[in-house]
């Protein structure tokens, strides 16, 4: 694992644009109905954000990529629902997930416009609420008035933990006797830990039936 992470850091250092593209796609795909329920976008964002303190990536670029991907993903889903109305909820592939559609509608009816805000922090509903909001006739201005502030809070909430963790470990690494080699030890540990934790959470949720949205059985 350590050698893999070291290779990743080296690769990203020479191809930062690809890391920003990965961040953008991770945030975008999380907002795509069905796909967003299985893409570990949050984990990818957290892991790559750990490369900011070392200078491999820039904080502004990481935040911008995450925000842009989320805005485009949520906005596209909303407009698809807005143009198609309720018809989209009964067509493939949405029709294969009636339980999640029902949950998204109930969530939206309970919280109204705030559902769009809260859903940004609640997977896997996050991937279904924007298109549901559009299909139920939520005005575009109201959607964006709630969605964009939510994304502006969501992005730092996913990026800053990785940045702060590595920054603190680099700063106080000398206390563990690592000296100038703190980055060499701690960055792979943080990134690898994020990936391992995400795999464990995904496995547990899948085993309990909550991590992956399964289509309705006919």
């Amino acid at each position: 694992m350590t050698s893999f992470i070291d290779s990743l850091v080296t690769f990203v250092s020479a191809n930062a644009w690809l890391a920003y593209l990965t961040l953008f796609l991770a945030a975008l795909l999380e907002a795509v109905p069905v796909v967003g329920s299985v893409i570990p976008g949050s984990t990818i964002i957290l892991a790559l954000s750990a490369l900011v303190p070392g200078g491999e990536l820039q904080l502004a670029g990481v935040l911008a990529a995450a925000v842009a991907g989320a805005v485009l993903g949520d906005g596209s889903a909303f407009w698809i629902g807005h143009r198609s109305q309720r018809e989209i909820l009964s067509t493939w592939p949405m029709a294969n997930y009636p339980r999640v559609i029902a949950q998204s509608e109930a969530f939206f009816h309970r919280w109204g416009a705030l559902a769009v805000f809260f859903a940004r922090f609640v997977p896997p509903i996050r991937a279904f609420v924007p298109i549901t909001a559009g299909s139920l006739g939520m005005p575009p201005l109201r959607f964006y008035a709630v969605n964009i502030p939510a994304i502006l809070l969501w992005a730092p909430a996913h990026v800053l933990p990785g940045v702060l963790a590595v920054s603190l470990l680099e700063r106080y690494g000398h206390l563990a006797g690592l000296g100038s080699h703190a980055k060499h030890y701690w960055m792979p540990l943080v990134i690898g830990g994020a990936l391992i934790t995400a795999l464990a959470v995904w496995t547990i949720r899948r085993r309990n039936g909550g991590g992956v949205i399964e289509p309705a059985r006919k």
Side-chain angles (χ1 to χ4, degrees), residues 7-54:
S7 299
L8 174 63
V9 172
T10 301
F11 180 79
V12 169
S13 298
N15 302 274
W17 66 271
L18 188 56
Y20 293 126
L21 177 61
T22 300
L23 287 162
F24 173 82
L25 291 176
L28 187 152
L29 291 176
E30 270 203 328
V32 177
V34 182
V35 175
S37 65
V38 296
I39 294 294
S42 297
T43 302
I44 294 172
I45 293 171
L46 175 63
L48 290 179
S49 68
L51 300 175
V52 170

Side-chain angles (χ1 to χ4, degrees), residues 76-86 88 130-131 134-136:
S76 298
F78 171 79
W79 279 106
I80 290 174
H82 185 73
R83 291 178 63 88
S84 303
Q85 298 299 306
R86 293 192 63 89
I88 190 66
I131 195 170
S135 67
L136 295 180

Side-chain angles (χ1 to χ4, degrees), residues 119-158:
R120 188 98 277 280
F121 302 89
V122 184
I125 294 179
R126 171 168 57 216
F128 287 84
V129 166
I131 195 170
T132 301
S135 67
L136 295 180
M138 184 176 187
L141 288 179
R142 182 179 299 178
F143 172 81
Y144 284 110
V146 179
N147 178 247
I148 292 179
I151 290 173
L152 292 178
L153 290 176
W154 167 85
H158 282 69

Side-chain angles (χ1 to χ4, degrees), residues 50-122:
L51 300 175
V52 170
E56 286 81 8
L57 299 177
Q58 298 300 312
L59 178 59
V62 170
L63 288 172
V67 168
V71 169
L72 181 60
D74 283 359
S76 298
F78 171 79
W79 279 106
I80 290 174
H82 185 73
R83 291 178 63 88
S84 303
Q85 298 299 306
R86 293 192 63 89
E87 180 183 352
I88 190 66
L89 301 181
S90 59
T91 58
W92 185 90
M94 304 289 284
N96 292 338
Y97 303 88
R99 182 175 62 86
V100 183
I101 294 299
Q103 290 177 343
S104 299
E105 288 195 54
F107 193 71
F108 185 79
H109 286 308
R110 178 180 180 182
W111 296 102
L114 286 178
V116 175
F117 184 93
F118 294 141
R120 188 98 277 280
F121 302 89
V122 184

